[in-house]
Amino acid sequence: MLKAVKDLTYTILLVDDMDAMKEFYRNLFPFQIRGEGEDGLSFKPPGSTLFSLRRRTRDYDGKGPRHDAPGVQLAFRVEPDEVEECYQILLKHGVKIAEPVTDQPRRHRTIYFYDPDHNLLEIYAEIWAQTDRS
């Protein structure tokens, strides 16, 4: 066990189509840009995690065409009354939807959708019954 690990602070998506991915994430998410180069783009979303896109360039990056199965799932939290608004924005941008707004049994309201490299993304809100809150 890696007991020295204290926190997840950096998420990197390995990218095949950098131009499409940069445009997708820039146009949909209001994250501050921390740095950009030909082979990558780094964002600083709210919270303690950095988020970056990096072109597949290394031998161990799994170069080559991706299959239809997602390589990763990222989840972005919003307030319950913002889920439908997010869904409409995704539709307006022509984003491929995997599952529209759905109230899940785990008490999340979710939207599942894909980025241009076919990574699965989720927008979710915690929806608790008034009696569940304490």
Side-chain angles (χ1 to χ4, degrees):
M1 181 179 298
L2 298 172
K3 292 181 180 183
V5 174
K6 304 290 186 247
D7 199 0
L8 174 64
T9 60
Y10 202 8
T11 301
I12 301 168
L13 282 184
L14 299 176
V15 171
D16 293 315
D17 186 343
M18 183 58 73
D19 292 337
M21 292 287 278
K22 282 181 176 182
E23 181 179 352
F24 180 86
Y25 282 93
R26 272 193 181 122
N27 289 341
L28 285 177
F29 297 95
F31 301 153
Q32 174 189 4
I33 295 175
R34 299 260 316 213
E36 180 174 5
E38 184 177 314
D39 289 332
L41 178 63
S42 292
F43 298 97
K44 177 62 179 109
S48 61
T49 301
L50 295 174
F51 174 60
S52 293
L53 307 174
R54 183 175 62 74
R55 188 181 310 278
R56 293 176 190 273
T57 57
R58 301 173 185 159
D59 290 340
Y60 53 82
D61 284 346
K63 290 187 247 180
R66 295 271 313 270
H67 299 284
D68 284 339
V72 69
Q73 178 179 330
L74 300 176
F76 302 92
R77 187 174 58 82
V78 299
E79 294 300 320
D81 61 345
E82 296 171 321
V83 175
E84 181 63 36
E85 177 185 348
C86 291
Y87 179 62
Q88 294 304 318
I89 291 168
L90 294 171
L91 292 176
K92 179 181 171 186
H93 281 85
V95 172
K96 183 178 177 184
I97 304 296
E99 182 178 77
V101 176
T102 304
D103 287 350
Q104 304 290 348
R106 63 184 179 279
R107 297 188 268 191
H108 281 182
R109 180 167 294 136
T110 61
I111 310 164
Y112 289 97
F113 58 103
Y114 297 103
D115 70 15
D117 267 11
H118 205 73
N119 294 300
L120 184 62
L121 307 179
E122 173 188 6
I123 290 178
Y124 78 96
E126 295 176 348
I127 51 172
W128 302 94
Q130 198 65 15
T131 56
D132 289 343
R133 294 182 183 178
S134 37

